Every structure is written in structure tokens, then in C-alpha cells.
Amino acid sequence: MTGTPNYDYGDPLKLSPAAGDAATNSARLAAACGTGKAVFVTRPGTYQFAYTGAGYETDSLGRAFRKCVDLGNLPLLRGAPGVVFKLADGQMQDTGTNRGPCSILCSDGPTDLTVQGIRFEGNTAGQTSWTGDYNTSNEKWTQYDGSVGLLVSCINGSYGRVTVEDCSFYDFFANPCLADGNNTYKGGQFIGRRIWYGDCGEGLSIDDSADADLEDITFVADAGTYTAVDASTKNKMAGDGLETARTRRVRVKNFRSYTRQGTALPGGGGVFDGGGADSIEIDGLYCRHWAAGVGADISNATPPKTVIYRNHHYYDIVQTAMFFEYPANYEMENIYTYNCPHGLTATAASSARQMFIYARNCQFYGTGDALYLRGDIKMHGENI
């Protein structure tokens, strides 16, 4: 654990594993969150949760903000081994009381929140009346506008520190866990340790935050069986495997992402998107069968100053293993690619600043172009 202090625990929270008690579970957890004490779920089991309000809310960017439980300013939620939080059937519909997407847990602007040891399940098969038709994008598998396991938002102010440890997220239309500051660098610090997620519309997202510190993260993507609602969801992947857009400082250690079937994802973005981050360091990456590897979106207004990639392995990437689009300082060390059209694609798209690339100990096997460089780029290489 990451320096967990001694919390004032209430009595262990008793939830019901009965399928018909989803609303009761939501009410019990919400009441426990209101005590100001840490909450501990001690009894293993699958506990369903339901939305208990009416209508739906939106945040400052117009995104849906419906949730089963509002954690408020809860300090700690911890589950014993075998505790599963699952979205109940019928919580996401195109019309009516349950119109729009729904998250299981939500906390708006928490001061210091820790969530540990819980498996979250989005139950996409149970949302049979959901087509994504509530908004103009008409998408079921999407970024933001879909079910989320844990949503940390900042509608009423920035959040302080959020820690997620030893949690897994499975089968969500959108992100498994989303922390969003709603404005560049506005959010606080997000700490993630030993997080696993799979079969989601997009990966873990920590956007518009001050700091993202992630370690031992795994995303197992589904290359061809997104058919939970109907055949139109097949092969839908909305976005990136891990996103830290517009987050000031990003540190990632040991991130693995691959597809269960051993075939390439038919769409979606890259395994990592750090567009708008001030500094990025990724030490330890295993990436296979993605459309693209690591990079950043050139459309973001705040280019990073420093990007460091160490100990990366890329296999069977459809487009390019790495893509650099900002006029920044890039450092690559101990990089291995196999069966990728390009090992590195770099485009210096700015006339104001030069791109600097420092590369050491890089091996490119079975690759069309090891280095595909365009624009004003200065590169120093050793043992390429």
C-alpha cells in the first residue's frame, strides 16, 4: 500500500448479494459514505448497484454525470478479496428515468480518496435498452459518454489526491476509471497501483490533472467480441489504452496492453496518449496488437517539454510503434520493436521550435522503416 494512514473505521458494511437489492446496496453505501468514516466491505460476493435518482446530470463540458453512489468526501473504501461491485441490469437506457450512461461510483472534487481491493463490472449485456442514442454521437462504446466503474470529476472544484490500488475493472462501455479535472492541470494527484482492466470502450484516463503516478497497470483488450448489446457493437474501440491528456506530470512504470485473441484491434487510438502533458516518463511498456503505439495528439495547445521512454517492447503494431508530433525533447532507451510498419514516426510540425531526439540501444526487427523522420529534427543515436 502507498503509505495508508490509520483511518477511523465504521462497522463493516453489509451489502446484499441478491439481484433485486441493487437499490438497497446503493442506499447503504451512500449512507456509509455520509458518516465521514472509512468503509470496509468484508464479505466476499457480487453486489449489484442501481441508480436511485431521477433524470441525469451533466458536467461543465456537457458530459453525462449519472451514478449509482456518490462517495462524497469519503476517505477510504476497501474491499476484501472476492468483493465485486456490478452495475445492475437496465441502468442505461435511451429514454426514461435511466436515460443516458451511468457510473457505479462517483466522487466530485474529493480531498483525499483511496479505493482498494474491489473488482468493478459494467454488465454491458444487461443494458439491453441502451444504444447510445441519448446524444448526437450515437455511440455505445465511447470515451466519457458511457458506463464507468469509478468516476472522479471536478464539477464543483479540483480534487486533491485519489489513490486506486489492487482494483480490477471489466466490461464497461467507456473508461474503467476516469479522473477528470475539467481544465488543464486543474485536477490533483492520481496514484494508481496494480490496476487491471479489460473489455472497455477506452482505457484508464487521468485527464486535466496535476500529477499521474501509475505503476503495474494492465489492459487486456478484446479484439473482436464487443457484441454485448447487438451486432453493431462488434469491433468498437473508442480510444486509447491509457490516457493522461493535459496532465502536468506523468510517470508510468510497467504498463502492459495486448489483445486476448492475439489479433490486432480493428480501430481505436494508440496504447498511450499523453497529449498536452508537461512531462512524460514511461519506464517499462509491453504493447502488442494495437493500431498504434505511444504518442500524443498534435491538436493540444500545450506541448510537453520532456518525454522519456525506457525499456519498451512493441510487437505486431498496425501503424507505428512510437509517434512524436511535438517540438519537444525526446529520450528513447532500450527500445525493441518487431513487425511494425514504422519503429518511430516523428513529424516536427512547428516552425518555432526544433525537435530533439536522443536514442540509445534501439532495435527494430521486421520493420518497414526503423525511423521515419519529417521536418526540423535533430537526432543523436547510439547503438541503433
Side-chain angles (χ1 to χ4, degrees):
M1 300 180 185
T2 311
T4 304
N6 292 321
Y7 289 103
D8 182 10
Y9 283 94
D11 294 330
L13 180 63
K14 295 181 180 179
L15 300 173
S16 171
D21 287 342
T24 300
N25 287 336
S26 296
R28 287 178 179 175
L29 179 54
C33 293
T35 65
K37 298 181 179 181
V39 175
F40 195 12
V41 182
T42 60
R43 185 189 304 171
T46 298
Y47 304 108
Q48 298 193 26
F49 290 86
Y51 177 63
T52 57
Y56 70 100
E57 306 167 68
T58 57
D59 65 13
S60 60
L61 301 181
R63 298 189 297 245
F65 190 62
R66 295 173 64 251
K67 67 277 185 184
C68 297
V69 179
D70 191 333
L71 298 179
N73 210 18
L74 178 74
L76 171 66
L77 173 62
R78 180 183 296 171
V83 169
V84 179
F85 283 11
K86 181 178 181 179
L87 187 67
D89 291 350
Q91 301 306 303
M92 297 172 56
Q93 301 177 6
D94 291 339
T95 60
T97 300
N98 287 341
R99 174 177 176 241
C102 185
S103 301
I104 299 177
L105 304 181
C106 177
S107 185
D108 181 26
T111 302
D112 191 348
L113 169 66
T114 298
V115 179
Q116 298 173 329
I118 298 174
R119 175 180 171 90
F120 296 85
E121 295 185 358
N123 185 24
T124 60
Q127 315 310 316
T128 56
S129 297
W130 168 251
T131 68
D133 196 33
Y134 87 107
N135 64 7
T136 55
S137 63
N138 194 28
E139 294 177 343
K140 282 175 280 194
W141 300 88
T142 181
Q143 182 183 24
Y144 300 116
D145 291 331
S147 56
V148 175
L150 173 63
L151 172 64
V152 178
S153 188
C154 293
I155 294 178
N156 299 316
S158 64
Y159 65 84
R161 181 177 65 181
V162 174
T163 303
V164 179
E165 296 177 318
D166 302 302
C167 289
S168 61
F169 301 82
Y170 174 71
D171 188 29
F172 286 91
F173 284 114
N175 312 82
C177 178
L178 169 64
D180 190 351
N182 278 350
N183 204 344
T184 301
Y185 306 160
K186 181 182 177 183
Q189 181 185 34
F190 186 98
I191 300 172
R193 297 288 186 268
R194 300 171 299 279
I195 299 175
W196 182 98
Y197 49 98
D199 298 358
C200 303
E202 189 178 60
L204 176 66
S205 288
I206 302 98
D207 294 340
D208 296 308
S209 299
D211 186 274
D213 188 348
L214 308 172
E215 190 168 334
D216 296 329
I217 310 297
T218 302
F219 180 19
V220 181
D222 193 319
T225 57
Y226 281 145
T227 57
V229 179
D230 57 46
S232 67
T233 62
K234 186 176 177 64
N235 295 340
K236 294 296 177 65
M237 176 73 186
D240 305 293
L242 173 62
E243 180 175 306
T244 59
R246 301 168 304 281
T247 291
R248 187 188 303 277
R249 175 185 173 273
V250 178
R251 173 190 170 274
V252 181
K253 185 174 179 61
N254 300 333
F255 175 42
R256 295 170 55 86
S257 187
Y258 53 92
T259 62
R260 174 178 300 108
Q261 293 88 344
T263 55
L265 284 167
V271 71
F272 171 79
D273 179 4
D278 189 69
S279 66
I280 301 170
E281 179 180 355
I282 304 178
D283 186 353
L285 171 70
Y286 174 88
C287 171
R288 190 166 193 178
H289 291 128
W290 270 83
V294 294
D297 185 353
I298 196 172
S299 65
N300 286 284
T302 53
K305 296 180 177 64
T306 304
V307 178
I308 300 174
Y309 294 152
R310 294 194 181 104
N311 304 313
H312 288 202
H313 292 75
Y314 302 89
Y315 299 90
D316 304 314
I317 305 301
V318 176
Q319 299 172 14
T320 184
M322 297 169 289
F323 50 104
F324 299 163
E325 298 176 307
Y326 284 119
N329 296 325
Y330 296 89
E331 180 179 336
M332 306 158 44
E333 186 174 8
N334 299 332
I335 308 296
Y336 179 94
T337 72
Y338 178 81
N339 193 29
C340 308
H342 303 295
L344 167 65
T345 298
T347 302
S350 172
S351 59
R353 293 176 56 190
Q354 190 176 48
M355 179 185 292
F356 294 90
I357 302 175
Y358 305 88
R360 291 182 292 273
N361 302 329
C362 299
Q363 302 179 57
F364 306 96
Y365 288 95
T367 302
D369 294 309
L371 305 171
Y372 184 50
L373 312 178
R374 296 175 292 183
D376 188 7
I377 300 174
K378 184 176 181 179
M379 181 171 183
H380 174 78
E382 299 177 16
N383 192 24
I384 306 297

